[in-house]
Amino acid sequence: MKSKYGQYCPVSLATEILGERWTILVVLVLADGFHRFSELERALPRISASTLSARLKKLEDAGVIERRPGESGEKFVYFLTPAGDELGQIVFDLGLWGHRWGRDLVTDDLDPEHLIWSMHMRMNTEIMPAQRTTIAFEFADQPVKKRYFWILAENKKVQACLKHPGFDEDLRVIARLRSLTYAWRGFVSLRDEISKGSIRVLGPAKLARAFPDWLLGSMLANQERMYPGRERDLQRSFRGEINSSAD
Amino acid sequence: MKSKYGQYCPVSLATEILGERWTILVVLVLADGFHRFSELERALPRISASTLSARLKKLEDAGVIERRPGESGEKFVYFLTPAGDELGQIVFDLGLWGHRWGRDLVTDDLDPEHLIWSMHMRMNTEIMPAQRTTIAFEFADQPVKKRYFWILAENKKVQACLKHPGFDEDLRVIARLRSLTYAWRGFVSLRDEISKGSIRVLGPAKLARAFPDWLLGSMLANQERMYPGRERDLQRSFRGEINSSAD
DNA sequence: CGGTATCCCCCGCGATACTG
DNA sequence: CAGTATCGCGGGGGATACCG
């Protein structure tokens, strides 16, 4: 059995479960409050259905998640057990570590669908209009298939759409994928990028002005990033890119 | 590249490094204060040299460890960087989780060499005799190759030996591997097992009486274990085994 | 649409051999 | 002894097809 280490050490035992590809991320998504197979697939765009199925089974066997009968369409919904909740805290710590010490992002890390998915979970609905608000996102540098997405908010409920939702947009946000991702991660300030024009917000002035407050950003965006030397380089190269594309 | 997830998510970035087999355990051993290639190999008996070499290289690239020139024989010594220290805390948390929620141990998890290695790091040298004390361990149920080990303590320095150290033993501890491992993990009380005879300590009465205090046990041994139902079953089957072998 | 079974390729890892 | 290069295999995981 490849996954065993031949050790009674508790770290080994934990690692047997978490060491397999994707497993930690599945726990993360469940801890984020998603419970359906399709939600997991959406949050983890590159996982294969069969792998996800296998991981859910293993996590269930390990006592990390519980499988309950589904209610509407889906066969099951998946919930963290108390053991899973404790694990979720560790996964969060790991995220903080990855934020502080993780490598710089490369193009292949960027994924518009996943970004939209993350953002729609962290909208400041308290200060958004109560009536339906449709925000269109256009990733100018992406191929057509990955260029257009929508986030709908209404009565403090937020929804992400991969297809045109059928009604007119209230705001349109146009940016390169990298710009919005960096703003999301907190590497650059959303407001700065908007005023510099690398992120454009089109629509009624009142909504456009309010938009930067709607987007809360990643939970970790306000956390300090280490290796400030690297970080400065990152921002410099990023800005250089923006400038050159604006020429 | 198999190790990438196509996500900018910080957990993904952390998992790219830690998701590979053995990596977390390498960090653990370094955090425990070992720094040499051979020490890592000893603490992780089933890792292959080539894999260990590859892991050290990756951890170095990731900024988790630092490779310094070695001083006596070895080419390098390996130290955690500040990033690695922070990671070490997470690995420790993971160990706590594994202790609380991890699966029961099976025979293949038990490893005498690793147990001796762990124990020799956690001897209560403050209360041990200052002069050289040699403790022989005999795992009665193991094949000859894995049956005999020694721990030497002298002046608050402790050393583990896989071969007869050349001088007489002061104490001899005879037990089945499972008994001592369970006592080490805190599943059962060392004192109880000694008084029941499943762990025997032979030698001068004064030393034999003191011995249970010398062995501090795993750092986690005093932590509560969850699923007490399972735990009781574990102890029952364990005791059943002892009894039947004592018949 | 929600989830599983099957196939098959590829690469991660262990074994072995090798160098300073 | 400390560490690295090479090779070969097994199984992890992605693609695809399939079922309810």
Side-chain angles (χ1 to χ4, degrees), chain B residues 223-241:
Chain B
Q223 294 287 332
E224 187 180 7
R225 219 172 160 234
M226 307 311 284
Y227 287 145
R230 283 201 315 184
E231 180 68 355
R232 268 198 306 278
D233 288 348
L234 191 67
Q235 294 197 16
R236 185 160 52 241
S237 71
F238 173 55
R239 293 197 173 111
E241 223 175 299

Side-chain angles (χ1 to χ4, degrees), chain B residues 34-61:
Chain B
F34 298 99
H35 304 288
R36 301 152 70 142
F37 197 92
S38 59
E39 290 174 325
L40 287 157
E41 281 187 302
R42 280 231 262 174
L44 307 172
R46 297 201 195 179
I47 199 173
S48 72
S50 54
T51 300
L52 176 55
S53 178
R55 290 301 175 273
L56 290 168
K57 202 157 295 167
K58 261 214 162 173
L59 285 170
E60 190 185 12
D61 291 345

Side-chain angles (χ1 to χ4, degrees), chain A residues 70-188:
Chain A
E71 311 219 321
S72 50
E74 71 275 17
K75 261 192 213 144
F76 310 107
V77 286
Y78 307 91
F79 283 84
L80 293 179
T81 61
D85 286 333
E86 279 186 27
L87 200 51
Q89 180 58 51
I90 295 172
V91 173
F92 183 86
D93 291 344
L94 203 58
L96 178 54
W97 185 87
H99 179 76
R100 286 166 64 78
W101 300 103
R103 63 170 174 74
D104 300 336
L105 300 181
V106 298
T107 301
D108 187 51
D109 300 323
L110 308 176
D111 184 286
E113 182 175 346
H114 188 255
L115 178 61
I116 292 290
W117 179 259
S118 303
M119 288 196 303
H120 101 279
M121 293 166 47
R122 297 263 307 154
M123 303 293 287
N124 189 350
T125 54
E126 296 300 326
I127 63 166
M128 292 185 70
Q131 72 270 25
R132 187 178 60 216
T133 308
T134 304
I135 311 169
F137 288 87
E138 179 178 339
F139 296 109
D141 57 333
Q142 294 295 301
V144 179
K145 287 281 289 179
K146 306 178 129 202
R147 191 180 302 174
Y148 301 102
F149 300 87
W150 293 262
I151 290 180
L152 278 63
E154 182 168 15
N155 276 328
K156 313 202 175 181
K157 300 275 185 199
V158 184
Q159 199 182 337
C161 298
L162 309 184
K163 288 185 294 205
H164 193 288
F167 23 81
D168 289 345
E169 66 207 41
D170 299 296
L171 276 182
R172 167 160 297 245
V173 178
I174 306 177
R176 301 173 69 224
L177 175 56
R178 186 176 281 260
S179 307
L180 208 54
T181 303
Y182 278 27
W184 170 255
R185 281 286 309 268
F187 297 170
V188 298

